[in-house]
Amino acid sequence: MNKAAERRKRMGRPAPATIPDELAREHVRFALFNRERHRLLPWAVLLGALSGLLAVGFHLSLDAAESLRNQLFQWSRQFGGAGMCIPMAVSGICVFAAVWLVRRYAPEASGSGIPHLKAVLQGCRPFPWARVLAVKFVGGVIGIGGGMALGREGPTVQMGGAVGQALGDCCAKNAPDRDRLRILVAAGGGAGLSAAFNAPLSGLVFVLEELQGRFASLEFFTAAVACLVADMVCRAFLGDYPVFRLPPVSTPALELLPAFVPLGAACGLLGVVFNRSLLAAQRIGPWTTGWRRGWWPLWGAALGGCGWLAPEVLGGGQSFAGRVIDGHPLAPEAILFYFLIRFALTIGSYATGAAGGIFAPILVLGALVGLEAGQAVAQWAPTLPVEPYVFAVVGMASFFTGSVRAPLTGVVLMIEMTGNYALILPLLTASFTALMIADWLHDLPIYEAIFQRNLAREAGRDGGG
């Protein structure tokens, strides 16, 4: 026995494993991982298919509700100015019903649901998936269909997570399988985002960057399969094309690249303003309990009045963003008006606590900021090859980054939504500029801020505060 072995024996340390032992352990580890991956594969396929079908149903229901809302606006105009009272009354009833459903049956379905999904994945909250799924779907259709300036993407993320929870309850009956349940919940959330935008890579990146905050092989595998299947289902029902259709775009010239830095900085700053305004509105909450519930229908009536005057300011705004990117001309003062009104309506709608997300509204705000910046650059530097709609696309990713603080998700999402890889350099430049500005201002990402606020509120109730 050599001196090193004698020293280890005296100190009670185990002898180092031999190479054959290490190889045996590695072989066992790989075999276990491969077996678990095979077990998860059918669940991931089923999860993606169900999440995709659910997203298709939600999408078509919201399209039908939006069509009915626009028909109501057109019909009411035949009565002149007095006709405004009709959509105001209908929107008031819809908002009251949407908020009441959430508060009465599933408070977990409030808002986008992404902060709740993060809490579930961290083991801080239970997930009553059946109630959340039903209330999220019905309440979302009523509220967003009634004109609330909220998006369908956040709800599809939470509903996808609910499907993952339901499947996880089937395949994870005992404690050692709790990790498998969390993997399915996270993958379901990614599948919901993938289905909402026809963007499977974005759903996968969102799981790794925002929901889980870590990279693990099983989570990556399950989320990738679920996102791919969900996207295939949605494309089969809704069409195999990008969400936004850009004209042919070549890679922007290098001399134009510095122009995207101030755009990113502006979006980073405005993203922080948006986050703090949203949190402040939720803290004030004048429509929360008791007699103050009268604010719910009043807010709905205000939405109906705004929609009667300008229908495009209501709803998630994805079609409006599409028109902005398609090159429909807007004067600078019109861009400012739409930005301010969409900003205010999104903040107020989310603060009611109805089921609806801020994903699409954030993208609309970013498109307007980018369009304004593109028109300004075209005016100040007429010799540069400026296409304002390119700035609008870049503004969407950078505003999303300034608020959510998930730059890779924003960049990949815009590439998939436009089907154009040529914008990768402007997207990265503006998005990481927005990230640095928001971090420099010490602002929490919006979903993390809501998650922490909810935990603090519960801790205050538990402590009698």
Side-chain angles (χ1 to χ4, degrees):
M1 183 180 295
N2 58 33
K3 293 182 178 180
E6 291 177 354
R7 191 181 307 115
R8 282 194 298 270
K9 185 176 181 180
R10 287 196 303 269
M11 298 178 67
R13 293 179 181 174
T18 63
I19 291 179
D21 290 340
E22 291 288 351
L23 287 175
R25 277 199 291 269
E26 180 63 19
H27 177 75
V28 171
R29 186 198 67 79
F30 182 78
L32 289 173
F33 168 76
N34 205 34
R35 185 172 63 184
E36 185 64 18
R37 187 166 56 184
H38 289 165
R39 286 178 177 174
L40 282 170
L41 178 59
W43 293 105
V45 172
L46 181 60
L47 173 59
L50 293 176
S51 298
L53 290 172
L54 192 62
V56 168
F58 195 57
H59 186 136
L60 295 178
S61 299
L62 285 176
D63 284 351
E66 182 179 0
S67 177
L68 288 174
R69 187 177 71 233
N70 290 333
Q71 291 176 23
L72 177 66
F73 289 143
Q74 293 176 2
W75 176 75
S76 64
R77 286 192 175 91
Q78 67 179 319
F79 301 105
M84 182 186 293
C85 297
I86 299 173
M88 289 177 67
V90 172
S91 292
I93 294 170
C94 287
V95 170
F96 182 85
V99 179
W100 179 82
L101 271 175
V102 169
R103 293 179 180 268
R104 175 66 178 82
Y105 292 106
E108 301 88 352
S110 173
S112 69
I114 293 176
H116 173 255
L117 205 58
K118 287 169 66 74
V120 170
L121 292 170
Q122 295 184 27
C124 302
R125 291 275 192 90
F127 201 165
W129 63 266
R131 285 192 290 113
V132 169
L133 195 56
V135 171
K136 200 74 173 185
F137 193 104
V138 176
V141 171
I142 293 174
I144 301 172
M148 301 187 83
L150 300 173
R152 60 183 170 85
E153 296 76 16
T156 58
V157 171
Q158 191 181 27
M159 287 191 291
V163 175
Q165 177 75 32
L167 296 181
D169 289 342
C170 295
C171 72
K173 296 295 186 182
N174 48 48
D177 287 335
R178 292 293 99 183
D179 285 341
R180 190 184 302 174
L181 188 148
R182 283 193 291 271
I183 288 172
L184 289 172
V185 171
L193 182 63
S194 170
F197 287 117
N198 278 4
L201 286 179
S202 302
L204 176 59
V205 173
F206 187 71
V207 170
L208 302 177
E209 190 174 34
E210 176 64 24
L211 291 183
Q212 286 287 64
R214 61 177 182 170
F215 182 92
S217 296
L218 284 175
E219 288 152 354
F220 179 87
F221 170 78
T222 309
V225 173
C227 290
L228 177 61
V229 174
D231 180 61
M232 291 170 61
V233 169
C234 281
R235 288 176 186 269
F237 282 92
L238 302 177
D240 187 13
Y241 47 82
V243 174
F244 300 128
R245 302 175 189 178
L246 289 181
V249 179
S250 58
T251 303
L254 285 177
E255 59 266 24
L256 187 60
L257 208 56
F260 294 99
V261 174
L263 171 59
C267 286
L269 177 61
L270 290 172
V272 171
V273 173
F274 177 84
N275 290 0
R276 295 183 179 178
S277 300
L278 191 68
L279 294 171
Q282 289 188 315
R283 281 196 299 270
I284 295 171
W287 36 71
T288 51
T289 57
W291 63 270
R292 297 187 180 96
R293 289 179 180 174
W295 282 94
W296 304 346
L298 287 179
W299 177 254
L303 289 172
C306 290
W308 195 81
L309 298 172
E312 61 272 18
V313 303
L314 300 186
Q318 189 167 299
S319 58
F320 176 63
R323 290 197 297 273
V324 169
I325 292 174
D326 284 343
H328 284 67
L330 284 176
E333 56 272 17
I335 296 174
L336 179 61
F337 164 77
Y338 281 121
F339 179 86
L340 292 176
I341 193 69
R342 289 282 318 181
F343 190 102
L345 293 183
T346 299
I347 296 296
S349 296
Y350 197 85
T352 63
I358 54 174
F359 226 111
I362 284 175
L363 297 183
V364 175
L365 295 175
L368 291 169
V369 175
L371 183 63
E372 182 80 34
Q375 291 183 357
V377 172
Q379 182 177 0
W380 296 339
T383 58
L384 290 177
V386 177
E387 296 288 357
Y389 60 82
V390 171
F391 280 79
V393 172
V394 174
M396 295 168 92
S398 49
F399 200 104
F400 175 83
T401 299
S403 176
V404 180
R405 222 64 46 75
L408 295 181
T409 300
V411 169
V412 175
L413 183 62
M414 287 302 104
I415 292 174
E416 290 192 295
M417 289 181 73
T418 61
N420 198 309
Y421 184 80
L423 302 180
I424 183 67
L425 285 180
L427 286 168
L428 288 172
T429 300
S431 294
F432 280 94
T433 301
L435 178 68
M436 288 187 291
I437 293 296
D439 285 344
W440 179 66
L441 293 172
H442 304 291
D443 183 66
L444 282 174
I446 185 59
Y447 295 131
E448 180 66 22
I450 296 174
F451 168 55
Q452 292 188 14
R453 186 212 60 195
N454 290 343
L455 288 182
R457 181 179 297 171
E458 289 186 2
R461 284 201 298 264
D462 292 342

